[in-house]
Amino acid sequence: MQKPLLLTLEYLPQHGGIAKYLESEVKHFNGDVAVVKAQNYLMPLWPQWLPLIWKAKSMFDKSQCDGLWVSHILPIGYIALMWKWTFKTPYRVYLHGLDLVRPRKSLWKRFWVKKILQNADEVIVNSKATAELLCHYELDSSIARVQYPRIKSIEIEKYRSLGKELRQKHGIDDKPILLTISRLVKRKGIDLVIRALPMVWKQIPDLVYVVVGDGEEIDNLRLLSKDQNNVIFTGSVSEDEKYSWLSACDVFILTPRDDEDDFEGYGIVYKEAQIFGKPVIGSKVGGVPEAVGDKGMLIGPSNVDALSKAILTKIKGDHP
């Protein structure tokens, strides 16, 4: 393929790892890539992808594309398979983890996921852990090529002063900062970090926990921490402010739960934190160990006691 058409449910300016991952794939491709954000053309009922066929075909012809890139195998993969059978159009499938977890319980969806992958010219996964999920579809992980998320160059020095300004703005000054950047959903385990903090505060009473992001769990998390003055929720922030918090913090933590109905395929933010030279704490879930690598600390999922000890270890700088 020299000029593919990317069909995806997530792309910039949306926030999130998948949008950034795909943007990086487009930028690093040796050629032009046309992009269609599929969510703008989906119907509320099945087959919700039908209107997307006409938009995709129009863009494909107008841009003189010669192949498809498909992210979110269902429902968009149906179109790729249809075009392969009808027009012999080659296609590449991007898999992120959750898109292989959710269809597992449906015989119908399992059949079509397998069929789409078997007919793909190329399958790209974001981690080895995601590739291992292919066994649920009676497919070998070797059919997929692992492409870890590429991390763009970050001007570290630019954010040092901005990080100091954030500390002053929030009255943190020289207090140690524990930082999480994430969508605020149950799977991310942010509530577990909050539950672990009382044990930490016994030894480091001035520690401030900053949570950057927004999501459906925000009210529950605020309620859980309502009696604590040193937990800060910033809501959604710009990329510049996100990097400023990474510069300002002392330790980055994100410890997702092990959820059979959800999956953490990788985690670009761990790598971004490490670029800023920050100690990182993650959990032994999905592709997180691949993202954290040997330089970070990994703990078992949903273990509040282990969380407390890990935070104390990293904040005190006593690296194991």
Side-chain angles (χ1 to χ4, degrees):
M1 278 181 267
Q2 294 184 335
K3 188 168 185 180
L5 174 68
L6 169 62
L7 301 179
T8 176
L9 295 177
E10 296 182 48
Y11 201 73
L12 297 182
Q14 288 174 278
H15 295 291
I18 292 177
K20 293 181 69 173
Y21 180 89
L22 293 172
E23 180 211 17
S24 176
E25 286 294 287
V26 169
K27 284 186 175 180
H28 282 80
F29 181 67
N30 187 24
D32 294 327
V33 181
V35 180
V36 172
K37 294 176 68 173
Q39 71 269 28
N40 297 330
Y41 305 98
L42 298 181
M43 297 192 303
L45 300 175
W46 197 91
Q48 59 186 151
W49 43 271
L50 275 180
L52 179 59
I53 294 177
W54 320 122
K55 174 61 180 178
K57 190 67 171 70
S58 172
M59 179 68 80
F60 190 90
D61 293 339
K62 180 180 179 181
S63 301
Q64 297 182 317
C65 295
D66 59 358
L68 286 177
W69 286 2
V70 173
S71 179
H72 307 87
I73 190 168
L74 295 183
I76 302 175
Y78 291 123
I79 297 174
L81 185 61
M82 182 185 300
W83 284 18
K84 183 69 171 285
W85 286 345
T86 306
F87 307 116
K88 309 298 182 186
T89 305
Y91 66 89
R92 169 191 289 186
V93 177
Y94 284 97
L95 299 171
H96 311 284
L98 183 57
D99 42 5
L100 288 175
V101 168
R102 287 183 172 168
R104 289 186 303 184
K105 295 182 179 180
S106 166
L107 186 62
W108 169 267
K109 290 181 179 179
R110 281 207 318 273
F111 172 83
W112 284 110
V113 167
K114 182 177 181 179
K115 188 67 67 176
I116 292 165
L117 292 174
Q118 285 177 322
N119 283 272
D121 294 85
E122 192 174 13
V123 178
I124 309 294
V125 293
N126 59 353
S127 66
K128 294 175 183 176
T130 296
E132 290 170 2
L133 294 174
L134 291 168
C135 68
H136 295 289
Y137 300 89
E138 300 175 336
L139 296 171
D140 194 273
S141 61
S142 63
I143 71 167
R145 174 169 65 87
V146 177
Q147 175 59 65
Y148 291 123
R150 299 178 176 91
I151 310 300
K152 72 177 186 179
S153 177
I154 302 173
E155 299 178 48
I156 304 297
E157 290 302 320
K158 169 185 174 182
Y159 295 103
R160 292 193 193 280
S161 59
L162 293 175
K164 291 178 181 178
E165 289 175 11
L166 280 178
R167 280 180 168 272
Q168 293 172 353
K169 175 183 176 181
H170 291 274
I172 299 172
D173 298 320
D174 295 327
K175 298 174 184 177
I177 296 176
L178 179 69
L179 175 68
T180 291
I181 300 174
S182 174
R183 285 185 299 114
L184 306 189
V185 294
K186 189 76 171 177
R187 173 174 61 88
K188 297 294 187 176
I190 298 164
D191 60 311
L192 300 174
V193 178
I194 293 173
R195 295 179 194 280
L197 288 175
M199 188 182 299
V200 176
W201 282 323
K202 288 180 180 179
Q203 297 189 41
I204 311 175
D206 60 344
L207 174 76
V208 177
Y209 182 37
V210 177
V211 181
V212 175
D214 206 350
E216 62 195 44
E217 280 291 299
I218 180 61
D219 290 337
N220 291 333
L221 294 173
R222 287 187 186 278
L223 184 63
L224 186 62
S225 59
K226 65 182 177 67
D227 296 326
Q228 307 298 339
N229 295 323
N230 39 3
V231 177
I232 297 172
F233 295 95
T234 70
S236 296
V237 302
S238 66
E239 189 161 271
D240 273 348
E241 186 169 338
K242 181 188 80 169
Y243 289 146
S244 299
W245 277 117
L246 283 171
S247 179
C249 78
D250 294 276
V251 173
F252 179 83
I253 186 167
L254 182 59
T255 50
R257 287 178 163 85
D258 189 6
D259 187 339
E260 65 175 9
D261 295 321
D262 212 329
F263 191 78
E264 193 73 27
Y266 190 73
I268 296 175
V269 70
Y270 297 107
K271 289 298 185 189
E272 292 175 328
Q274 289 173 336
I275 287 174
F276 279 90
K278 306 302 178 177
V280 167
I281 303 171
S283 53
K284 299 173 184 177
V285 169
V288 172
E290 295 172 66
V292 170
D294 297 333
K295 296 180 180 179
M297 176 180 282
L298 293 167
I299 63 171
S302 304
N303 189 329
V304 172
D305 184 56
L307 266 173
S308 300
K309 292 176 180 177
I311 294 167
L312 285 168
T313 296
K314 289 301 185 183
I315 290 291
K316 290 179 176 180
D318 182 18
H319 303 290

